[in-house]
Amino acid sequence: MVQTPVKKLTFEEFLEQYPDDGIYELINGEIIPMKPTRAHKNVARFLMLAFNDEIRRLGLEYIADKDIIIRTFTDTEEERGRNPEVSVVSASQWNSNVLAYGALIEPIQLAVEVTSTNWDDDYVDKLDEYQRLGIPEYWIVDYLAIASRAYLGNPKLPTIFVYQLVDGQYQVQKFTSNERIISTTFPELALTVKQVVVASQIQKL
């Protein structure tokens, strides 16, 4: 029996067929569901609120939101649709077409990925795609210390990696424990890795 190969979706087709019952990404031409745990969502919500507090406090021209889909490309020019846990976008970019849906094709200012069991996707594939797209700042929030020792060291500790785009290449800083996370997008942000880890277990109302 000859099997008909499944047609790979383009980014536009992915948006047209995007289900309305959850969070999805376009990977290898297929719509793939994302299934975050409550702890995972707690971390993302905590960071989004922290970013929004800074935006309001300092009057920054940014919008921080979740569930924003961005179009990326692999090294083989394959289109992908990524949905960072938290996205920070310039207000002018966001407001240029307020009647459009959430998908963006231009680089956003900051993307945050909270790691889960498929952690290598954040550390390898998304890192390459976000660098290729030209996203100035990218956070990997490994609050469970789930990645390999090649990334986390020994002993493995909850870690936040902050990648800054310098001359088209990401340069990384690694933060653990009570270290304050350094961000060029939010230079006055007073936030430690420990606070983020605690937020995974306790969500304030």
Side-chain angles (χ1 to χ4, degrees), residues 1-22:
M1 180 178 176
V2 178
Q3 291 186 336
T4 303
V6 178
K7 178 183 178 294
K8 291 189 174 184
L9 299 177
T10 65
F11 184 72
E12 287 188 1
E13 291 169 336
F14 164 63
L15 296 181
E16 291 170 358
Q17 300 179 31
Y18 194 94
D20 58 5
D21 61 348

Side-chain angles (χ1 to χ4, degrees), residues 20-76:
D20 58 5
D21 61 348
I23 301 170
Y24 296 84
E25 292 191 340
L26 176 68
I27 305 173
N28 298 325
E30 298 181 19
I31 298 176
I32 305 298
M34 303 290 108
K35 298 179 180 180
T37 64
R38 291 179 185 178
H40 193 108
K41 288 184 175 183
N42 281 350
V43 169
R45 188 180 299 109
F46 176 77
L47 289 173
M48 186 186 72
L49 292 173
F51 293 163
N52 273 318
D53 285 346
E54 282 297 280
I55 290 168
R56 285 193 295 268
R57 185 177 71 86
L58 298 175
L60 302 175
E61 290 297 310
Y62 291 128
I63 304 267
D65 205 353
K66 59 184 182 67
D67 301 337
I68 294 178
I69 302 167
I70 57 175
R71 182 184 64 180
T72 65
F73 292 92
T74 67
D75 58 353
T76 59

Side-chain angles (χ1 to χ4, degrees), residues 82-145:
R82 296 299 192 178
N83 193 332
E85 269 78 25
V86 185
S87 297
V88 177
V89 188
S90 75
S92 59
Q93 179 184 355
W94 183 260
N95 293 326
S96 62
N97 187 359
V98 294
L99 297 180
Y101 291 100
L104 296 172
I105 59 174
E106 306 89 358
I108 62 176
Q109 172 62 31
L110 167 62
V112 176
E113 296 289 356
V114 181
T115 57
S116 54
T117 52
N118 60 336
W119 59 267
D120 52 330
D121 195 26
D122 298 332
Y123 281 87
V124 180
D125 295 342
K126 291 181 183 179
L127 177 69
D128 177 71
E129 292 167 36
Y130 293 169
Q131 178 178 268
R132 193 176 302 279
L133 184 61
I135 294 177
E137 188 169 341
Y138 171 41
W139 289 26
I140 298 177
V141 180
D142 199 339
Y143 72 101
L144 291 173

Side-chain angles (χ1 to χ4, degrees), residues 12 21 58 71 142 155 157-158 169 173 182 186-187 193 196-197:
E12 287 188 1
D21 61 348
L58 298 175
R71 182 184 64 180
D142 199 339
L157 299 172
Q169 299 290 320
Q173 283 184 285
I182 305 300
F186 300 109
V193 176
V196 175
V197 173

